[in-house]
Structures are given as structure tokens and as C-alpha cells.
Amino acid sequence: MASWQPDPSFYPSPRMAAKAPKETLAYVAAFDPDRKKPDAIAVVDVNPESPSYSRIVGQVDMPNVGDELHHFGWNACSSCLCPNAPHPHMERRYLVVPGLRSSRLHIIDTKPDPRNPKIAKVIEPEEIAEKAGYSRLHTIHCGPEGIYVNALGNAEGKRPGGIFLLDPDSFNVLGQWEMDRGPQELAYDFWWHLGHDTMVTSEWGTPDTFEDGLVPEILLGSKYGRRLHFWDLHKRKHLQEIDFGEEHQLVFELRPAHDPTKAYGFVGCVISLKDLSASIWTWYRDGDKWAVKKVIEIPAEPADPDLLPPVLKGFNAVAPLVTDIDLSMDDRFLYVSCWGTGDMIQYDVSDPFNPKEAGRIRIGGIVSRATHPKANNGPLNGGPQMVEISRDGKRVYFTNSLYGAIDPQFYPEGIDGWMVKLDVGENGGIEFDEDFFVDWPKGHRPHQVRLEGGDCSSDSYCYP
């Protein structure tokens, strides 16, 4: 796993990463919502010059069923070049792939043939529970000193959820990350400001409140996550909690500025109990504390109740349901997935406190069922969900499934999977690549996308 020279996909700064070669492959998590066949990591050809462009060209199946592959990441990234814990001779080679439902962790080797990855190691849930005290694994980030894994439940699937570390060479479970968790109990996403020695974490709920779908009583009672937590990254100590208020539920995806000198980032809130709107908030440094400000509000759209799933019929409206966001490498454009309405919205966030809409497309959606130029099966369901951006910011990829137990609550007929690509204009604006549409094979639904060599949510940097 070590090499004689730094991995060529590592870059000291986001400015340099934006000049990286174009990706030619994408790795996509695919899961069986019925938990009858193994989940898989699919390999999609994203090279427009290739005869197999926009097709699945490889796949590695998991050895078990029922994992629900979700958010995965690399064993190593550009943070290996950070001066506080340098190990630049690591190799970006292995995908670290957790099962959200099974709590199993898979180590996938993408070398020597990137189109035919192989399973190198499987870490069973019992080992993770014993060594780290956690279960329901959710997100992977490669950090300066190891691989960080967050989990939504403790060993019994209850509170608290949290983070543990893997050794980046042996993939041994090292143990729980938190030394002092303070009031934090719920977990969801996490990321950091390496230049400010700060970790940020968000909240969803404990496994018993989402594994069979969202529970209306818990949602309407404002009992899902609504807080951000700020931590001393070096001391592993909780510093501050910010409560978004009872109206706001499901504070999800975190996207800090890539420039390590900037102390701000963006987080999406899925739904407001007041009016079904979704929102984007900027967190930022305010004196010696952290603060948040709502900077985008996306309203619900009036809709014929006959076209709505039971969970929304009484509201006569379709909620945007912002379920993912992603930030371009130059910190200029924020992409917001509206899984309910079917919109992918591009905002210019050059001023992080005053975003301006720069582009919008619609595909799928609970009511609109908008199609794609290359789709040959008519109206599409699902909506923009997991979104990933190329390092140069010129290409945007996304898929349409959220979570096995929640998909049918909003799309009762079941989701037919797809993956699409957008092209980005020089000064903003987005449009479909009419030649790129992956009609996902039945039996699996696609979720997170990772791009060959890194992307805009895989790496962190220590130099501006």
C-alpha cells in the first residue's frame, strides 16, 4: 500500500486538485432494497471517448446479503500531505465500503485492474462492536492520521452514535474517536476544518427510528436530529452545540469550504415542519464561537393530493426534500439535490452568506416525473439524490435512491434506478449530457458515486 513516491492523485491544495486529469471511471454503491441478493460496487465508464461510455463495465458483489451499501470513501487522500501527520507515500487504492444496515465493513482493492475491483478484507460487525462500540456504519473520510468511520448507533443500535478510526495500513479497528462527547448523542455526517483543528458533526436518529422508514410521530414531534456539533479535532473533545430549533428536522450533509484558510461550510436541512420547505445553512466562525445562518430556503410546491404518496397527501404539497449537497473545488458552486420535487439546483456561493441561483434542471420527482433525453422508458421516478462533482468542476454526476426503507414512503411504486451527468458552463449553468444515462439494472438501486482519483467530497487539504 506504500509506494516510493507520493500518489499522483494527491494534491497539496484544492487549486492544484482542480487541475487534475479527468476521471474515466466512477464507482457506484448499488443495493438490493429487498435484501435478497448481494449489494455491489458497480464501475461506470465516464470517458466520453470510450465505446462503453455511460455503461456499467465492472462490478464486485459483496459476500453477504442485506448490507445496504451507503456512503463509502478511499483509504487515503490528499490529507496525507498535511504537515501535522504526513504519510505522503500512501496509495489511493482501496475503497472502504460500509453496510449501513449490516454494520459490516468491506475493503475493496481497485488495483491492478480498476474496472474489476476485488474484495481484500471484510470486517464483521462483531469486531467493530467489540473494539469501537458502534454499529450502523454510515460515512467514510480519510484523514491525516487514519480512516475515520462514523456510525449511527452504539453496539446495541441505540444512543450514542459516533466515530471510530481504522488503521490505514492494516485496516484494523483502532477504537472510538471521542474522548469527551459532551451532549452529542445522535449522529449522521461529519467533516472537518483541518486548518482550524475543528470537526463538525450532524444528526439523523437512532437505527430503530429509520430502519423501517421515517416514523411520522417522531418527525412531527421534532425528535429527529436538528443540531450541529463542533469538536476540537486534536483533543477529540466536544466544544459547542447549535440547535436549529424544533421546526427543523434532519440536519444532514456537511460540506466545508475546500480552502483550508476559510472557516465556513454548508449544511442541508431536509424539511421544515412549518411549511415542508427545505433549507441550506452556512456555518461560520463568529469571534471565538461557531454560528449558523439560514442562507437558502426552498419552498414546497402545491400539488394535487391524488398525485402524492400517503405521507404527503394531507399537506396538498410536494416537499423539496433536500437530501444531499456538494461544493465545487473552487468553493464557488453549491449543488443541491431536491429528491422530492426532482430539481438539481446550482447556486453561486462565492459569497457564502448570499447565494444566488445559477442553474436548475428537473428529472424525476414525486409529481413531475420528468424524463431525460436518453431515457427510453418514459417518465422517471426517484429524484436527484447523491451528487458528486469532478475535481475541475465541469461535470456533475448523481443517482436517484435515498434509502431502502424510505424510498417507498415517497415513491410507493418503487424506484427504478438511474444515474445521470450534467455539464457545467464556464460561468455557471447546468445542462444534461444527453449521451449519459445509466438505466440501472433491476434488483439494485444506485446510491453514492465516487470518482476515479478523487472528487469534490473525497479529499481535504492543508494548503490553500
Side-chain angles (χ1 to χ4, degrees):
M1 211 160 65
S3 64
W4 286 108
Q5 58 186 3
D7 190 300
S9 72
F10 294 168
Y11 295 91
S13 71
R15 291 182 300 108
M16 297 302 296
K19 299 176 182 179
K22 291 182 180 180
E23 68 283 353
T24 63
L25 297 174
Y27 297 96
V28 184
F31 70 97
D32 174 16
D34 298 321
R35 302 194 292 279
K36 294 179 179 177
K37 60 187 289 188
D39 296 350
I41 294 293
V43 186
V44 177
D45 188 336
V46 297
N47 179 5
E49 308 303 318
S50 169
S52 53
Y53 181 56
S54 182
R55 286 170 24 203
I56 296 172
V57 294
Q59 180 169 303
V60 55
D61 294 327
M62 301 303 105
N64 299 279
V65 297
D67 288 306
E68 182 115 14
L69 301 188
H70 206 63
H71 298 176
F72 62 106
W74 292 102
N75 65 299
C77 69
S78 298
S79 65
C80 289
L81 303 179
C82 287
N84 55 312
H87 45 289
H89 300 97
M90 292 288 294
E91 185 178 16
R92 189 198 305 266
R93 172 173 177 172
Y94 297 91
L95 291 169
V96 183
V97 183
L100 178 52
R101 183 174 282 267
S102 69
S103 307
R104 190 175 285 113
L105 197 56
H106 310 86
I107 311 301
I108 310 296
D109 190 355
T110 66
K111 190 177 179 180
D113 181 358
R115 290 182 172 225
N116 292 288
K118 306 293 184 186
I119 295 175
K121 183 175 182 177
V122 177
I123 306 171
E124 295 295 338
E126 293 79 9
E127 180 179 351
I128 294 166
E130 178 186 359
K131 294 181 177 179
Y134 285 130
S135 68
R136 300 349 188 262
L137 315 183
H138 184 263
T139 296
I140 306 293
H141 283 310
C142 38
E145 67 277 69
I147 302 168
Y148 289 65
V149 184
N150 86 324
L152 302 192
N154 63 15
E156 292 76 39
K158 304 296 183 182
R159 301 172 184 235
I163 296 168
F164 67 92
L165 264 70
L166 285 183
D167 183 278
D169 288 304
S170 66
F171 300 108
N172 289 331
V173 178
L174 298 178
Q176 188 176 113
W177 176 79
E178 299 87 357
M179 294 292 288
D180 177 359
R181 72 171 63 251
Q184 180 267 328
E185 291 188 333
L186 299 181
Y188 181 74
D189 197 13
F190 74 102
W191 216 331
W192 41 58
H193 290 286
L194 293 176
H196 299 270
D197 199 26
T198 299
M199 179 180 280
V200 189
T201 65
S202 62
E203 297 186 341
W204 184 2
T206 52
D208 58 336
T209 65
F210 63 76
E211 284 190 334
D212 294 321
L214 293 176
V215 181
E217 294 78 13
I218 294 175
L219 180 65
L220 297 175
S222 195
K223 297 290 196 287
Y224 284 116
R226 62 178 202 237
R227 297 170 178 85
L228 285 186
H229 300 272
F230 295 85
W231 308 73
D232 185 307
L233 183 59
H234 179 69
K235 295 181 180 178
R236 299 148 59 188
K237 177 181 180 181
H238 188 282
L239 297 176
Q240 186 182 347
E241 175 188 271
I242 297 180
D243 190 331
F244 283 43
E246 290 190 1
E247 170 192 331
H248 298 100
Q249 283 287 272
L250 306 170
V251 176
F252 268 10
E253 303 291 344
L254 303 167
R255 297 293 181 260
H258 295 284
D259 184 337
T261 68
K262 297 176 180 177
Y264 71 84
F266 301 94
V267 61
C269 178
V270 176
I271 197 163
S272 163
L273 299 180
K274 181 178 71 174
D275 55 13
L276 297 188
S277 64
S279 52
I280 304 296
W281 302 63
T282 299
W283 77 76
Y284 60 98
R285 195 71 180 162
D286 184 17
D288 61 353
K289 293 285 187 179
W290 294 90
V292 299
K293 178 184 178 182
K294 185 192 292 187
V295 294
I296 297 170
E297 189 169 280
I298 304 170
E301 296 182 2
D304 181 344
D306 290 341
L307 301 176
L308 294 171
V311 70
L312 292 176
K313 277 189 187 298
F315 297 98
N316 295 336
V318 59
L321 300 176
V322 166
T323 50
D324 195 23
I325 61 176
D326 205 4
L327 183 63
S328 64
M329 193 70 75
D330 59 4
D331 295 329
R332 181 178 178 188
F333 292 115
L334 184 74
Y335 294 85
V336 177
S337 296
C338 300
W339 187 64
T341 55
D343 291 320
M344 174 64 75
I345 311 176
Q346 178 198 53
Y347 292 95
D348 187 328
V349 291
S350 301
D351 176 353
F353 299 101
N354 187 29
K356 299 184 183 304
E357 184 173 326
R360 181 188 294 239
I361 60 91
R362 176 166 284 191
I363 181 170
I366 292 170
V367 172
S368 61
R369 306 299 170 103
T371 192
H372 183 278
K374 195 182 178 186
N376 56 15
N377 49 354
L380 301 175
N381 66 6
Q385 217 285 291
M386 293 307 297
V387 54
E388 195 49 75
I389 311 167
S390 64
R391 287 167 293 185
D392 61 8
K394 295 180 179 179
R395 295 165 301 285
V396 177
Y397 304 86
F398 59 91
T399 58
N400 70 328
S401 172
L402 176 60
Y403 180 68
I406 295 177
D407 286 352
Q409 291 185 285
F410 294 91
Y411 294 91
E413 73 282 10
I415 283 180
D416 294 321
W418 43 258
M419 175 182 175
V420 300
K421 173 195 165 198
L422 305 179
D423 292 322
V424 180
E426 286 298 324
N427 293 301
I430 48 178
E431 61 182 13
F432 288 114
D433 175 346
E434 297 190 1
D435 293 324
F436 191 101
F437 181 83
V438 184
D439 187 359
W440 212 264
K442 301 299 182 284
H444 275 158
R445 292 178 190 166
H447 195 63
Q448 191 180 25
V449 178
R450 281 272 169 242
L451 302 181
E452 169 196 28
D455 46 57
C456 284
S457 69
S458 62
D459 289 40
S460 45
Y461 306 89
C462 280
Y463 303 93

